[in-house]
Amino acid sequence: MTVTGGSGATVQVARYGQVPCVLDTNSMAGHLAIMGTTTNCDCADAGTNVVSGVAIGARVVGYFLQTATAGTTALVELTPGLVGTEILACR
């Protein structure tokens, strides 16, 4: 879905499926994708494929479908059960 803001800027919004995401860290296929650690609009590799291994405070986006290097774009499978999940201190 495309949304147009009050300033006339448009953004793409996705809730499920495969989407490209710019990386601020290297990614490994199968690892969880989280909100960027340098830039919130980018993706970062959580370093694990299980939620219990994700750093406290991280927001999960989905799973990486490909291995790629920082600064490039990788496909992420959005996972509705995980998207926006914030890993809290009291798991």
Side-chain angles (χ1 to χ4, degrees):
M1 157 177 41
T2 301
V3 178
T4 303
S7 65
T10 59
V11 296
Q12 295 291 320
V13 178
R15 296 191 62 197
Y16 58 89
Q18 298 177 4
V19 296
C21 193
V22 175
L23 302 171
D24 70 1
T25 64
N26 295 335
S27 71
M28 179 173 283
H31 278 189
L32 286 165
I34 59 174
M35 283 179 56
T37 54
T38 305
T39 304
N40 283 339
C41 294
D42 292 350
C43 291
D45 189 313
T48 182
N49 60 358
V50 293
V51 174
S52 62
V54 176
I56 292 170
R59 289 198 179 264
V60 178
V61 176
Y63 290 94
F64 284 109
L65 296 176
Q66 55 194 171
T67 299
T69 57
T72 63
T73 301
L75 277 179
V76 173
E77 177 72 35
L78 298 180
T79 308
L82 294 177
V83 172
T85 301
E86 183 172 7
I87 307 303
L88 302 173
C90 50
R91 293 184 190 187

Coordinates of all heavy atoms in Angstrom, one line a residue:
M1 N 0.8 -1.1 0.0 CA 0.0 0.0 0.0 C 0.9 1.2 0.0 O 1.9 1.2 0.7 CB -0.9 0.0 1.2 CG -1.4 1.3 1.7 SD -2.5 1.3 3.1 CE -1.9 0.2 4.3
T2 N 0.5 2.3 -0.7 CA 1.3 3.5 -0.7 C 0.4 4.6 0.0 O -0.8 4.7 -0.2 CB 1.5 4.0 -2.2 OG1 2.2 3.0 -2.8 CG2 2.3 5.3 -2.2
V3 N 1.1 5.3 0.9 CA 0.4 6.3 1.7 C 1.1 7.6 1.4 O 2.3 7.7 1.4 CB 0.6 6.0 3.2 CG1 -0.1 7.1 4.1 CG2 0.0 4.6 3.5
T4 N 0.3 8.7 1.3 CA 0.8 10.0 1.0 C 0.6 10.9 2.3 O -0.5 10.9 2.8 CB 0.1 10.7 -0.2 OG1 0.3 9.9 -1.3 CG2 0.7 12.1 -0.4
G5 N 1.7 11.4 2.8 CA 1.6 12.3 4.0 C 1.2 13.7 3.7 O 1.1 14.1 2.6
G6 N 1.0 14.5 4.8 CA 0.6 15.9 4.7 C 1.6 16.7 3.9 O 1.2 17.7 3.2
S7 N 2.9 16.3 3.9 CA 3.9 17.1 3.1 C 3.9 16.7 1.7 O 4.7 17.2 0.9 CB 5.3 16.9 3.8 OG 5.6 15.5 3.6
G8 N 3.1 15.7 1.3 CA 3.1 15.2 -0.1 C 4.1 14.0 -0.3 O 4.1 13.5 -1.4
A9 N 4.9 13.7 0.7 CA 5.8 12.5 0.6 C 5.0 11.2 0.6 O 4.0 11.1 1.3 CB 6.8 12.6 1.7
T10 N 5.5 10.2 -0.1 CA 4.8 8.9 -0.1 C 5.7 7.9 0.5 O 7.0 8.0 0.3 CB 4.4 8.5 -1.6 OG1 5.6 8.4 -2.4 CG2 3.4 9.5 -2.2
V11 N 5.1 6.9 1.1 CA 5.9 5.8 1.7 C 5.2 4.5 1.3 O 4.0 4.5 1.1 CB 6.0 5.9 3.2 CG1 6.8 7.1 3.6 CG2 4.7 5.9 3.9
Q12 N 6.0 3.4 1.2 CA 5.4 2.1 1.0 C 5.2 1.5 2.4 O 6.0 1.5 3.2 CB 6.4 1.2 0.2 CG 6.6 1.8 -1.2 CD 5.3 1.6 -2.1 OE1 4.6 0.6 -2.0 NE2 5.1 2.6 -2.9
V13 N 4.0 0.9 2.6 CA 3.7 0.2 3.8 C 3.4 -1.3 3.5 O 2.6 -1.6 2.6 CB 2.5 0.9 4.5 CG1 2.1 0.1 5.8 CG2 2.7 2.3 4.8
A14 N 4.0 -2.2 4.2 CA 3.8 -3.6 4.0 C 3.6 -4.3 5.4 O 4.3 -3.9 6.3 CB 4.9 -4.3 3.3
R15 N 2.7 -5.2 5.4 CA 2.4 -5.9 6.7 C 2.8 -7.4 6.6 O 3.0 -8.0 7.6 CB 1.0 -5.8 7.1 CG 0.6 -4.3 7.4 CD -0.7 -4.2 8.0 NE -0.7 -4.9 9.3 CZ -1.8 -5.2 9.9 NH1 -3.0 -4.9 9.4 NH2 -1.7 -5.8 11.1
Y16 N 2.9 -7.9 5.4 CA 3.3 -9.3 5.2 C 3.9 -9.5 3.8 O 3.7 -8.6 3.0 CB 2.1 -10.3 5.5 CG 0.9 -10.0 4.6 CD1 0.8 -10.6 3.3 CD2 -0.1 -9.1 5.0 CE1 -0.2 -10.3 2.5 CE2 -1.1 -8.8 4.1 CZ -1.2 -9.5 2.9 OH -2.3 -9.2 2.1
G17 N 4.5 -10.6 3.6 CA 5.2 -10.9 2.4 C 6.6 -10.6 2.4 O 7.3 -10.4 3.4
Q18 N 7.2 -10.5 1.2 CA 8.6 -10.3 1.0 C 8.9 -8.8 0.6 O 8.2 -8.3 -0.3 CB 9.2 -11.2 0.0 CG 9.1 -12.6 0.3 CD 9.6 -13.6 -0.8 OE1 10.1 -13.1 -1.8 NE2 9.5 -14.9 -0.5
V19 N 9.7 -8.2 1.3 CA 10.0 -6.7 1.1 C 11.5 -6.5 1.1 O 12.3 -7.2 1.8 CB 9.4 -5.8 2.1 CG1 7.9 -5.9 2.0 CG2 9.9 -6.1 3.5
P20 N 12.0 -5.6 0.3 CA 13.4 -5.2 0.3 C 13.7 -4.3 1.5 O 12.9 -3.5 1.8 CB 13.7 -4.5 -1.0 CG 12.3 -3.9 -1.4 CD 11.3 -4.9 -0.8
C21 N 14.9 -4.4 2.1 CA 15.2 -3.6 3.2 C 16.7 -3.2 3.1 O 17.5 -4.1 2.9 CB 14.9 -4.2 4.5 SG 15.0 -3.1 5.9
V22 N 17.1 -2.0 3.2 CA 18.5 -1.5 3.2 C 19.1 -2.0 4.5 O 18.5 -1.8 5.6 CB 18.6 0.0 3.0 CG1 20.0 0.5 3.1 CG2 18.0 0.4 1.7
L23 N 20.3 -2.5 4.5 CA 21.0 -3.0 5.7 C 21.9 -2.0 6.3 O 22.7 -1.4 5.6 CB 21.8 -4.3 5.3 CG 21.0 -5.4 4.6 CD1 21.9 -6.5 4.1 CD2 20.0 -6.0 5.6
D24 N 21.9 -1.9 7.6 CA 23.0 -1.1 8.2 C 24.0 -2.1 8.9 O 24.9 -1.6 9.5 CB 22.4 -0.1 9.2 CG 21.8 -0.6 10.4 OD1 21.7 -1.8 10.7 OD2 21.3 0.3 11.2
T25 N 23.8 -3.4 8.8 CA 24.7 -4.4 9.2 C 24.7 -5.5 8.1 O 23.8 -5.5 7.3 CB 24.4 -5.0 10.5 OG1 23.1 -5.7 10.4 CG2 24.3 -4.0 11.7
N26 N 25.7 -6.4 8.1 CA 25.6 -7.5 7.3 C 24.4 -8.4 7.7 O 24.1 -8.4 8.9 CB 26.9 -8.3 7.3 CG 28.1 -7.6 6.8 OD1 27.9 -6.7 6.0 ND2 29.3 -7.9 7.2
S27 N 23.8 -9.2 6.8 CA 22.8 -10.1 7.1 C 23.1 -11.5 6.7 O 23.9 -11.7 5.8 CB 21.5 -9.7 6.4 OG 21.6 -9.9 5.0
M28 N 22.5 -12.4 7.4 CA 22.6 -13.8 7.1 C 21.3 -14.4 6.9 O 20.4 -14.2 7.7 CB 23.4 -14.6 8.2 CG 23.5 -16.1 7.9 SD 24.5 -16.9 9.1 CE 26.2 -16.4 8.6
A29 N 21.1 -15.1 5.8 CA 19.8 -15.8 5.5 C 19.3 -16.6 6.7 O 20.1 -17.4 7.3 CB 19.9 -16.6 4.2
G30 N 18.1 -16.5 7.1 CA 17.5 -17.2 8.2 C 17.5 -16.5 9.5 O 16.8 -16.9 10.4
H31 N 18.4 -15.5 9.6 CA 18.4 -14.7 10.9 C 17.2 -13.8 11.0 O 16.7 -13.4 9.9 CB 19.7 -13.9 11.0 CG 20.9 -14.7 11.5 ND1 22.1 -14.1 11.8 CD2 21.1 -16.0 11.7 CE1 22.9 -15.0 12.2 NE2 22.3 -16.2 12.1
L32 N 16.9 -13.4 12.2 CA 15.8 -12.4 12.4 C 16.3 -11.0 11.9 O 17.5 -10.7 12.2 CB 15.4 -12.4 13.8 CG 14.6 -13.6 14.3 CD1 14.5 -13.6 15.8 CD2 13.2 -13.5 13.7
A33 N 15.4 -10.3 11.3 CA 15.7 -8.9 10.9 C 15.1 -8.0 12.0 O 13.9 -8.3 12.4 CB 15.1 -8.6 9.6
I34 N 15.8 -7.0 12.5 CA 15.3 -6.1 13.4 C 15.5 -4.7 12.9 O 16.1 -4.5 11.8 CB 16.1 -6.2 14.8 CG1 17.6 -5.9 14.6 CG2 15.8 -7.5 15.4 CD1 18.4 -5.9 15.9
M35 N 14.8 -3.7 13.5 CA 15.0 -2.3 13.1 C 16.5 -2.0 13.1 O 17.2 -2.5 14.0 CB 14.2 -1.4 14.0 CG 12.7 -1.4 13.7 SD 11.8 -0.3 14.8 CE 12.6 1.3 14.5
G36 N 16.9 -1.1 12.2 CA 18.3 -0.8 12.1 C 18.9 -0.3 13.4 O 18.2 0.4 14.2
T37 N 20.1 -0.6 13.7 CA 20.8 -0.2 14.9 C 21.5 1.2 14.7 O 21.8 1.9 15.6 CB 21.9 -1.2 15.3 OG1 22.7 -1.5 14.2 CG2 21.2 -2.5 15.7
T38 N 21.7 1.6 13.4 CA 22.2 2.9 13.1 C 21.1 3.8 12.6 O 21.0 5.0 13.0 CB 23.3 2.8 12.1 OG1 24.3 1.9 12.5 CG2 24.0 4.1 11.8
T39 N 20.3 3.3 11.7 CA 19.2 4.1 11.1 C 17.9 3.3 11.3 O 17.8 2.1 10.8 CB 19.5 4.3 9.6 OG1 20.7 4.9 9.4 CG2 18.4 5.1 8.9
N40 N 16.9 3.8 11.9 CA 15.7 3.1 12.2 C 15.0 2.6 11.0 O 14.2 1.7 11.0 CB 14.7 4.0 13.0 CG 15.1 4.1 14.5 OD1 15.8 3.2 15.0 ND2 14.6 5.1 15.2
C41 N 15.1 3.3 9.8 CA 14.4 2.9 8.6 C 15.1 1.8 7.9 O 14.6 1.2 7.0 CB 14.3 4.1 7.7 SG 13.2 5.4 8.3
D42 N 16.3 1.4 8.3 CA 17.1 0.3 7.8 C 16.8 -1.0 8.6 O 16.1 -0.9 9.6 CB 18.6 0.6 7.7 CG 18.9 1.7 6.8 OD1 18.1 2.1 6.0 OD2 20.1 2.2 6.8
C43 N 17.4 -2.1 8.1 CA 17.3 -3.3 8.9 C 18.7 -3.8 9.4 O 19.7 -3.4 8.8 CB 16.8 -4.4 7.9 SG 15.0 -4.3 7.5
A44 N 18.7 -4.5 10.4 CA 19.9 -5.1 11.0 C 19.7 -6.5 11.3 O 18.6 -7.0 11.5 CB 20.3 -4.3 12.3
D45 N 20.8 -7.3 11.3 CA 20.7 -8.7 11.6 C 20.8 -8.9 13.1 O 21.7 -8.3 13.8 CB 21.9 -9.4 10.9 CG 21.8 -10.9 11.0 OD1 21.5 -11.5 12.1 OD2 22.1 -11.6 10.0
A46 N 19.8 -9.6 13.7 CA 19.8 -9.8 15.1 C 20.9 -10.8 15.6 O 21.1 -10.9 16.8 CB 18.4 -10.3 15.5
G47 N 21.5 -11.5 14.6 CA 22.5 -12.4 15.0 C 22.0 -13.8 15.4 O 22.8 -14.6 15.9
T48 N 20.7 -14.0 15.2 CA 20.1 -15.3 15.7 C 18.8 -15.5 14.9 O 18.3 -14.6 14.2 CB 19.8 -15.2 17.2 OG1 19.2 -16.5 17.6 CG2 18.8 -14.1 17.5
N49 N 18.4 -16.7 14.9 CA 17.1 -17.0 14.3 C 16.0 -17.4 15.3 O 14.9 -17.8 14.9 CB 17.3 -18.2 13.2 CG 17.8 -19.5 13.9 OD1 18.0 -19.5 15.1 ND2 17.9 -20.5 13.1
V50 N 16.2 -17.1 16.5 CA 15.2 -17.4 17.6 C 15.0 -16.1 18.4 O 15.9 -15.4 18.7 CB 15.6 -18.5 18.5 CG1 15.6 -19.9 17.8 CG2 16.9 -18.3 19.2
V51 N 13.7 -15.8 18.7 CA 13.4 -14.6 19.4 C 14.0 -14.5 20.7 O 14.4 -13.4 21.1 CB 11.8 -14.5 19.5 CG1 11.4 -13.3 20.3 CG2 11.2 -14.3 18.1
S52 N 14.2 -15.6 21.4 CA 14.8 -15.6 22.7 C 16.2 -15.1 22.7 O 16.8 -14.7 23.7 CB 14.7 -16.9 23.4 OG 15.4 -17.9 22.7
G53 N 16.9 -15.1 21.5 CA 18.3 -14.7 21.4 C 18.4 -13.2 21.0 O 19.5 -12.7 20.8
V54 N 17.3 -12.5 20.8 CA 17.3 -11.1 20.3 C 17.6 -10.2 21.5 O 17.0 -10.4 22.6 CB 16.0 -10.8 19.6 CG1 16.0 -9.3 19.2 CG2 15.8 -11.7 18.4
A55 N 18.4 -9.2 21.3 CA 18.7 -8.2 22.3 C 17.4 -7.5 22.9 O 16.5 -7.2 22.1 CB 19.6 -7.2 21.8
I56 N 17.4 -7.3 24.2 CA 16.3 -6.6 24.8 C 16.2 -5.2 24.2 O 17.2 -4.5 24.0 CB 16.6 -6.5 26.3 CG1 16.5 -7.9 26.9 CG2 15.6 -5.5 27.0 CD1 16.9 -8.0 28.3
G57 N 15.0 -4.8 23.9 CA 14.8 -3.4 23.3 C 14.7 -3.4 21.8 O 14.3 -2.5 21.2
A58 N 15.1 -4.5 21.1 CA 15.1 -4.6 19.7 C 13.7 -4.8 19.2 O 12.9 -5.4 19.8 CB 16.0 -5.8 19.2
R59 N 13.4 -4.3 18.0 CA 12.1 -4.5 17.4 C 12.3 -5.4 16.2 O 13.0 -5.1 15.2 CB 11.5 -3.2 16.9 CG 11.0 -2.4 18.1 CD 10.0 -1.3 17.6 NE 9.6 -0.5 18.7 CZ 8.5 -0.7 19.4 NH1 7.7 -1.7 19.1 NH2 8.1 0.0 20.4
V60 N 11.6 -6.6 16.2 CA 11.7 -7.6 15.2 C 10.9 -7.2 14.0 O 9.7 -6.7 14.1 CB 11.3 -9.0 15.7 CG1 11.3 -10.0 14.6 CG2 12.1 -9.4 16.9
V61 N 11.4 -7.4 12.8 CA 10.7 -7.1 11.5 C 10.3 -8.4 10.8 O 9.2 -8.5 10.3 CB 11.6 -6.3 10.6 CG1 11.0 -6.0 9.2 CG2 12.0 -5.0 11.2
G62 N 11.2 -9.4 10.8 CA 10.9 -10.7 10.1 C 12.1 -11.5 10.0 O 13.0 -11.4 10.9
Y63 N 12.3 -12.3 8.9 CA 13.4 -13.1 8.7 C 14.1 -12.7 7.4 O 13.5 -12.4 6.4 CB 13.0 -14.6 8.6 CG 12.6 -15.2 9.9 CD1 11.2 -15.2 10.2 CD2 13.5 -15.7 10.8 CE1 10.8 -15.8 11.4 CE2 13.0 -16.3 11.9 CZ 11.7 -16.3 12.3 OH 11.3 -16.9 13.4
F64 N 15.5 -12.7 7.4 CA 16.2 -12.4 6.2 C 16.1 -13.7 5.3 O 16.3 -14.8 5.7 CB 17.7 -12.2 6.5 CG 17.9 -10.8 7.0 CD1 18.3 -10.6 8.3 CD2 17.8 -9.7 6.2 CE1 18.5 -9.3 8.8 CE2 18.0 -8.4 6.7 CZ 18.4 -8.2 8.0
L65 N 15.9 -13.4 4.0 CA 15.8 -14.5 3.0 C 17.1 -14.6 2.2 O 17.3 -15.6 1.5 CB 14.6 -14.2 2.0 CG 13.3 -14.2 2.6 CD1 12.2 -13.8 1.5 CD2 12.9 -15.5 3.2
Q66 N 18.0 -13.7 2.4 CA 19.3 -13.8 1.8 C 20.4 -13.1 2.6 O 20.1 -12.3 3.5 CB 19.2 -13.1 0.4 CG 18.7 -11.7 0.4 CD 18.4 -11.2 -1.0 OE1 17.8 -10.1 -1.1 NE2 18.7 -11.8 -2.1
T67 N 21.6 -13.6 2.3 CA 22.8 -13.0 3.0 C 23.3 -11.9 2.1 O 23.3 -12.0 0.9 CB 23.9 -14.1 3.0 OG1 23.4 -15.2 3.8 CG2 25.1 -13.6 3.7
A68 N 23.6 -10.7 2.8 CA 24.0 -9.5 2.1 C 24.9 -8.7 3.0 O 25.0 -8.9 4.2 CB 22.8 -8.7 1.6
T69 N 25.6 -7.7 2.4 CA 26.5 -6.9 3.1 C 25.8 -5.5 3.5 O 24.9 -5.1 2.8 CB 27.8 -6.6 2.4 OG1 27.5 -6.0 1.1 CG2 28.6 -7.9 2.2
A70 N 26.3 -4.9 4.5 CA 25.8 -3.6 5.0 C 25.8 -2.6 3.8 O 26.7 -2.6 3.0 CB 26.6 -3.1 6.1
G71 N 24.8 -1.8 3.7 CA 24.7 -0.8 2.7 C 24.0 -1.3 1.4 O 23.7 -0.5 0.6
T72 N 23.8 -2.6 1.3 CA 23.0 -3.1 0.2 C 21.6 -3.4 0.7 O 21.2 -3.2 1.8 CB 23.7 -4.4 -0.4 OG1 23.7 -5.4 0.6 CG2 25.1 -4.1 -0.8
T73 N 20.8 -4.0 -0.2 CA 19.4 -4.3 0.0 C 19.2 -5.8 0.1 O 19.8 -6.5 -0.8 CB 18.5 -3.7 -1.0 OG1 18.7 -2.3 -1.0 CG2 17.0 -4.0 -0.7
A74 N 18.5 -6.3 1.1 CA 18.2 -7.8 1.2 C 16.7 -8.0 1.3 O 16.0 -7.1 1.8 CB 18.9 -8.3 2.4
L75 N 16.2 -9.1 0.9 CA 14.8 -9.4 1.0 C 14.6 -9.9 2.4 O 15.3 -10.7 3.0 CB 14.4 -10.5 0.0 CG 14.1 -10.0 -1.4 CD1 13.7 -11.2 -2.3 CD2 12.9 -9.0 -1.4
V76 N 13.5 -9.4 3.0 CA 13.0 -9.8 4.3 C 11.6 -10.4 4.2 O 10.8 -9.8 3.5 CB 13.0 -8.6 5.3 CG1 12.4 -9.0 6.6 CG2 14.4 -8.1 5.5
E77 N 11.4 -11.5 4.8 CA 10.0 -12.1 4.9 C 9.4 -11.5 6.2 O 9.8 -11.8 7.3 CB 10.1 -13.6 5.0 CG 8.7 -14.3 5.1 CD 7.9 -14.2 3.9 OE1 8.4 -14.3 2.8 OE2 6.7 -14.1 4.0
L78 N 8.4 -10.7 6.0 CA 7.7 -10.1 7.1 C 6.9 -11.2 7.8 O 6.2 -12.0 7.1 CB 6.8 -9.0 6.7 CG 7.4 -7.8 6.0 CD1 6.4 -6.7 5.7 CD2 8.5 -7.2 6.9
T79 N 6.9 -11.3 9.1 CA 6.3 -12.3 9.8 C 5.3 -11.6 10.7 O 5.6 -11.1 11.7 CB 7.3 -13.1 10.6 OG1 8.4 -13.5 9.8 CG2 6.7 -14.3 11.3
P80 N 4.0 -11.7 10.3 CA 2.9 -11.0 11.1 C 3.0 -11.2 12.6 O 2.7 -10.3 13.4 CB 1.6 -11.4 10.5 CG 2.0 -11.8 9.1 CD 3.4 -12.4 9.2
G81 N 3.3 -12.4 13.0 CA 3.3 -12.7 14.5 C 4.5 -12.1 15.2 O 4.5 -11.9 16.4
L82 N 5.5 -11.6 14.4 CA 6.7 -11.0 15.0 C 6.8 -9.5 14.7 O 7.5 -8.8 15.4 CB 8.0 -11.7 14.4 CG 8.2 -13.1 14.8 CD1 9.4 -13.7 14.2 CD2 8.3 -13.3 16.3
V83 N 6.3 -9.0 13.6 CA 6.5 -7.7 13.1 C 6.1 -6.7 14.2 O 5.1 -6.7 14.8 CB 5.7 -7.3 11.9 CG1 5.8 -5.9 11.5 CG2 6.2 -8.2 10.7
G84 N 7.1 -5.8 14.6 CA 6.9 -4.8 15.6 C 7.1 -5.3 17.0 O 6.9 -4.6 18.0
T85 N 7.4 -6.6 17.1 CA 7.5 -7.2 18.5 C 8.8 -6.5 19.1 O 9.8 -6.5 18.6 CB 7.8 -8.7 18.4 OG1 6.7 -9.3 17.8 CG2 8.0 -9.3 19.8
E86 N 8.6 -5.9 20.3 CA 9.7 -5.4 21.0 C 10.1 -6.4 22.0 O 9.3 -6.9 22.8 CB 9.3 -4.0 21.7 CG 10.5 -3.4 22.4 CD 10.3 -2.0 22.9 OE1 9.1 -1.6 22.8 OE2 11.2 -1.4 23.3
I87 N 11.4 -6.7 22.1 CA 11.9 -7.6 23.0 C 12.1 -6.9 24.4 O 12.9 -6.0 24.5 CB 13.3 -8.2 22.6 CG1 13.1 -8.8 21.2 CG2 13.8 -9.3 23.5 CD1 12.0 -9.9 21.0
L88 N 11.3 -7.3 25.3 CA 11.3 -6.6 26.6 C 12.2 -7.3 27.6 O 12.5 -8.4 27.5 CB 9.9 -6.5 27.2 CG 8.9 -5.8 26.2 CD1 7.5 -5.9 26.8 CD2 9.3 -4.3 26.0
A89 N 12.6 -6.5 28.7 CA 13.5 -7.1 29.7 C 12.8 -8.3 30.4 O 13.5 -9.2 30.8 CB 13.9 -6.0 30.7
C90 N 11.5 -8.3 30.6 CA 10.9 -9.4 31.3 C 10.2 -10.3 30.3 O 9.1 -10.2 29.9 CB 9.8 -8.8 32.2 SG 8.7 -7.6 31.5
R91 N 11.0 -11.2 29.8 CA 10.5 -12.1 28.7 C 9.6 -13.2 29.3 O 9.8 -13.7 30.3 CB 11.7 -12.9 28.1 CG 12.5 -11.9 27.3 CD 13.6 -12.6 26.6 NE 14.5 -11.6 26.0 CZ 15.4 -11.9 25.2 NH1 15.7 -13.1 24.9 NH2 16.2 -10.9 24.8

